[in-house]
Amino acid sequence: MRSEVRTIAWRGGVVEILDQRKLPHAVRYLRLKTARQVAKAIRDMAIRGAPAIGVAAAMGLALTAYHSRARSREKLLEELRESYMVLRASRPTAVNLFWALDRVMRVAESSRAAEEARRRVVEEALKIMEEDIEANKRMGEHGARLIEDGDGILTHCNAGALATAGYGTALGVIRAAHAQGKRIRVYACETRPRLQGAKLTVWELMQDGIPVKLITDNMAAFLMQRGEVSKVIVGADRIIAKTGHVINKIGTLSHAIAAKYYGISFLVAAPTSTIDFESRVEEVIIEERDPREVLYIDGRRIAPEGVEVWNPAFDITPPDLVSYIITEKGVFKPEELRELGSVG
């Protein structure tokens, strides 16, 4: 991002997280010193986006290791396992969270002494952060090949630098295409109920000078009907390798159905850490969030007292609605993901 605003950083025993709840009106950072504080930041969506919360979770374990006074390996592992469970419970759907926690714990458990484990846990968390940025850039290069000069691109929620350690997934593809000189225009859905598109995606694209127009979620199909959209590109919070189902922000399914009807390519950009090679789609827990997110906008109630609310955070798009899945390892059809797991 030209603004050079960072999403997350390690500052010698302190994790600095950009508080995305304050955007676009203010750029403020939280300084977190414990895994419980990181878990709260994830749960409260001060930091959000599947890759970003994976990095944050790894950083939470790094904080536990860094500040631990444990002298024995066993005591340190006990503290790390406690933090692991706290962080694991922060949000249930995005698989990157569990992937990052498990990866860091494997490093800790393979260490022979407390000091070695302490050092390696911090190093692994930082490695996960750097790998995420590099994966996003490679993803952008692969995905930009699917973007043509003159494309009108619809995106939903925020899958940009703010949703990752840097650069972005879906917006990373858009950034790469723009950097290649392709004349593109972006339509950003506002993304009710938390308005990540309006508050975050539009802000990011404006920072980079990429042409963007904000629309409400229910305008997307009409925009497609008018021929203004030639590609739809979104991120993902979990992709089921066995079947190719894509779990992403609520509203994604509606756009996929409309895109299929109008013959528009529907693209998903996500790192391989977002691909779940173990679960079946029926096993995925779809997070249901506080009804107040629907009942209020910026603190002001918009619905009558006593109304019932349903507020799932994600929906599930079947593979027959997905044209391609873009990863740092290349571009794949949904049915090809299982082979990707077999080759690592």
Side-chain angles (χ1 to χ4, degrees):
M1 296 171 66
R2 290 179 185 169
S3 61
E4 298 184 357
V5 174
R6 65 189 183 278
T7 306
I8 185 168
W10 174 264
R11 303 296 185 198
V14 176
V15 174
E16 290 185 352
I17 287 178
L18 175 64
D19 190 344
Q20 299 186 31
R21 300 167 300 181
K22 305 296 183 183
L23 292 172
H25 307 298
V27 177
R28 296 179 185 170
Y29 286 87
L30 301 175
R31 290 175 54 82
L32 311 177
K33 297 182 179 180
T34 69
R36 288 188 180 278
Q37 289 175 343
V38 173
K40 186 176 188 303
I42 295 172
R43 187 168 55 251
D44 294 347
M45 293 183 71
I47 187 167
R48 29 67 52 205
I53 65 176
V55 173
M59 294 287 193
L61 289 180
L63 286 174
T64 297
Y66 185 91
H67 293 290
S68 173
R69 296 182 178 179
R71 295 184 178 180
S72 70
R73 172 184 177 274
E74 290 70 25
K75 177 61 177 174
L76 177 58
L77 288 178
E78 181 182 326
E79 293 176 7
L80 286 169
R81 288 172 185 140
E82 180 180 346
S83 294
Y84 172 93
M85 295 307 296
V86 169
L87 290 159
R88 187 178 175 86
S90 57
R91 295 196 70 185
T93 304
V95 75
N96 305 65
L97 176 73
F98 313 117
W99 169 85
L101 288 171
D102 289 342
R103 176 171 160 177
V104 173
M105 285 303 300
R106 284 195 296 270
V107 166
E109 289 167 351
S110 67
S111 300
R112 294 167 293 182
E115 282 306 313
E116 180 189 357
R118 187 175 286 111
R119 173 182 55 80
R120 291 183 66 202
V121 163
V122 173
E123 289 174 352
E124 194 69 14
L126 294 174
K127 186 178 179 182
I128 288 173
M129 180 174 66
E130 293 303 319
E131 286 178 358
D132 181 68
I133 296 170
E134 290 305 312
N136 292 339
K137 290 179 179 178
R138 291 197 299 273
M139 201 182 314
E141 293 172 3
H142 293 310
R145 298 171 190 159
L146 301 176
I147 306 300
E148 299 175 70
D149 188 55
D151 270 346
I153 304 171
L154 180 82
T155 191
H156 186 69
C157 197
N158 173 261
L162 295 171
T164 67
Y167 201 71
T169 56
L171 291 197
V173 172
I174 291 170
R175 280 195 172 92
H178 182 259
Q180 291 173 1
K182 293 176 181 176
R183 294 166 295 174
I184 56 177
R185 60 193 184 280
V186 180
Y187 298 97
C189 295
E190 62 176 355
T191 324
R192 280 282 287 150
R194 293 190 64 95
L195 302 173
Q196 296 99 321
K199 294 182 175 181
L200 306 179
T201 296
V202 169
W203 181 79
E204 279 200 46
L205 293 173
M206 291 177 70
Q207 294 288 313
D208 281 359
I210 299 174
V212 59
K213 185 173 289 187
L214 176 65
I215 64 171
T216 64
D217 299 344
N218 53 4
M219 295 175 184
F222 184 48
L223 199 65
M224 295 181 200
Q225 186 186 59
R226 295 187 63 168
E228 297 295 327
V229 176
S230 47
K231 301 284 191 313
V232 179
I233 183 165
V234 299
D237 288 81
R238 185 185 299 219
I239 301 172
I240 304 300
K242 292 178 180 178
T243 56
H245 286 80
V246 174
I247 294 91
N248 193 49
K249 183 57 58 183
I250 192 74
T252 301
L253 174 60
S254 300
H255 301 324
I257 292 170
K260 183 75 169 182
Y261 183 85
Y262 287 109
I264 296 167
S265 294
F266 187 88
L267 311 175
V268 177
T272 51
S273 58
T274 299
I275 301 174
D276 185 344
F277 292 100
E278 303 297 329
S279 304
R280 299 190 306 273
V281 67
E282 299 83 12
E283 298 170 333
V284 176
I285 298 172
I286 298 297
E287 177 183 5
E288 294 193 21
R289 294 188 59 81
D290 193 324
R292 287 177 293 184
E293 293 181 348
V294 176
L295 294 170
Y296 292 81
I297 294 181
D298 288 340
R300 181 174 181 177
R301 190 179 181 99
I302 60 170
E305 294 287 347
V307 68
E308 293 185 5
V309 173
W310 185 42
N311 186 21
F314 306 96
D315 58 26
I316 303 172
T317 299
D320 60 315
L321 299 181
V322 178
S323 303
Y324 295 104
I325 294 172
I326 305 160
T327 78
E328 75 275 20
K329 294 185 178 182
V331 178
F332 302 89
K333 289 281 191 178
E335 62 270 19
E336 295 172 336
L337 293 181
R338 195 178 303 195
E339 298 175 14
L340 181 62
S342 66
V343 298

